[in-house]
Amino acid sequence: MTRTLLRIDASARTDGSVSRELADRVVNRLAPTQVIRRDLADSLPQIDAAWIGANFTAAEARTEDQRAALALSDTLIAEIEAADTLLIALPIYNFGVPTALKTWVDHVARAGVTFRYSEDGPEGLLRGKRAIVVVASGGTEVGGPIDFATPWLRHVLGFIGITDVQVVTADRLAIDPDASRAKAEEQIEKLAA
């Protein structure tokens, strides 16, 4: 049962977005107790040299400026930690993820916080969570040879410990929009609350 859901909207479009529309349907289907919203259309700042310097400074040794540089990243990670389920509304842009979603990943993939390196390789630290990725694309078939978005996002989520990932697909909307939407709606109806 989903108690707290973190909804991440990655579409640059706030009106007429299929990924947002389908994410609304997922929220209605799951009926979580609480929804935390993170709309990436509002844009996140790119990580920069100050952010990297702060990130690679031990927490207890960080200056006030370094803590300020990581404040947004800390907030984004706290949103994930608070959620049982992540819902990512993902449009495919030019075969990949929107830059806003890549920037979100840059903020939340932090060594020692959301993953760590061990003798056996990287280990995700955000275990026990579920992710539902609602994908909308005009012509890129999810799982096809030119889909670089969903395999990348699955890898990133697994890297930080989220391995229970379900994908709802409304792909090839420019080719057969009715069939594409119907397929996605059927997948949403099968999602377990």
Side-chain angles (χ1 to χ4, degrees):
M1 177 175 162
T2 299
R3 294 178 306 280
T4 302
L5 181 138
L6 169 59
R7 175 176 173 167
I8 301 162
D9 285 295
S11 178
R13 295 188 324 169
T14 55
D15 294 322
S17 165
V18 174
S19 63
R20 289 173 186 271
E21 175 190 323
L22 294 173
D24 288 342
R25 291 178 189 249
V26 171
V27 171
N28 290 336
R29 170 81 178 130
L30 299 181
T33 307
Q34 177 184 10
V35 177
I36 301 166
R37 293 206 58 163
R38 177 57 62 179
D39 194 334
L40 301 181
D42 297 336
S43 201
L44 298 175
Q46 300 285 325
I47 63 170
D48 58 14
W51 188 99
I52 292 170
N55 187 47
F56 287 105
T57 299
E60 63 278 0
R62 288 182 188 136
T63 66
E64 190 60 37
D65 286 345
Q66 288 176 320
R67 286 191 292 279
L70 293 176
L72 175 60
S73 174
D74 291 338
T75 297
L76 297 173
I77 292 167
E79 290 173 351
I80 299 171
E81 291 172 335
D84 305 299
T85 301
L86 279 68
L87 170 60
I88 302 174
L90 169 65
I92 294 180
Y93 292 169
N94 300 314
F95 319 111
V97 301
T99 56
L101 185 60
K102 172 62 169 76
T103 300
W104 178 84
V105 167
D106 288 342
H107 279 279
V108 302
R110 284 178 50 196
V113 181
T114 59
F115 71 93
R116 68 177 170 211
Y117 291 108
S118 70
E119 291 178 4
D120 298 325
E123 177 186 351
L125 301 176
L126 298 174
R127 295 179 291 273
K129 298 179 184 301
R130 170 188 185 196
I132 300 168
V133 181
V134 176
V135 182
S137 80
T140 300
E141 184 178 4
V142 170
I146 61 172
D147 171 17
F148 300 102
T150 53
W152 178 82
L153 187 55
R154 277 184 185 274
H155 176 80
V156 166
L157 291 170
F159 187 78
I160 62 173
I162 303 169
T163 57
D164 180 1
V165 180
Q166 295 172 276
V167 178
V168 172
T169 59
D171 53 3
R172 300 169 47 93
L173 284 160
I175 298 160
D176 191 346
D178 293 336
S180 182
R181 284 176 182 264
K183 177 177 68 172
E185 288 172 12
E186 182 181 325
Q187 292 170 345
I188 291 168
E189 286 305 309
K190 292 179 181 176
L191 290 174

